[in-house]
Structures are given as C-alpha cells and as structure tokens.
Amino acid sequence: MPDVAGAAVAGLALLVLTGWWLGLEPLKRVLPDYPTMKPNTAVCFLFSGLGLALRERRAVSWGTALLVGALAG
C-alpha cells in the first residue's frame, strides 16, 4: 500500500510540474480553491513519492531523502 501512495504523490507532483512547464493554471493547483503549488515543492513531493514507492531499494530511498532535505534546507 505505501508504494501506491508514493506513486500517487509522485504522479500529482508530475501533474503540477507539467502545469508549470506548459503554463496551465488548473494543473498548478491541487484543489481549485487552493493556492498554486510552487515548482520546488512539487519536486520535493516527486522525490518523496519516489522514495516511498521504492522504499525496498535502500540506496534510492536514502538518495531521495537526501535530495528532499537539501532542497528543503
């Protein structure tokens, strides 16, 4: 089940990044009344989702955790 949740989070992040790349306002928002998700937040969501979905591979999991920590810091 965590791998499904990780894939869902990564998919949502990819949609948001696509919205920023193509300039599509509806894809930049998680819900219509919410403010836009910034690209760096979407990248952190993408790496977090990948790390959760690929948690069996410790090197990938640690690598994505380090990237998220570096971006957030």
Side-chain angles (χ1 to χ4, degrees):
M1 194 67 168
D3 50 345
V4 174
V9 168
L12 175 69
L14 284 174
L15 280 175
V16 170
L17 288 172
T18 302
W20 278 101
W21 186 49
L22 297 176
L24 299 172
E25 195 66 29
L27 288 182
K28 295 179 189 178
R29 301 174 187 276
V30 177
L31 292 173
D33 293 337
Y34 282 24
T36 59
M37 183 185 293
K38 302 303 178 224
N40 58 343
T41 305
V43 170
C44 286
F45 269 62
L46 176 64
F47 287 133
S48 296
L50 287 175
L52 184 60
L54 302 173
R55 70 189 184 288
E56 299 296 325
R57 300 178 183 176
R58 292 185 83 75
V60 173
S61 182
W62 276 98
T64 56
L66 289 172
L67 282 171
V68 170
L71 284 171

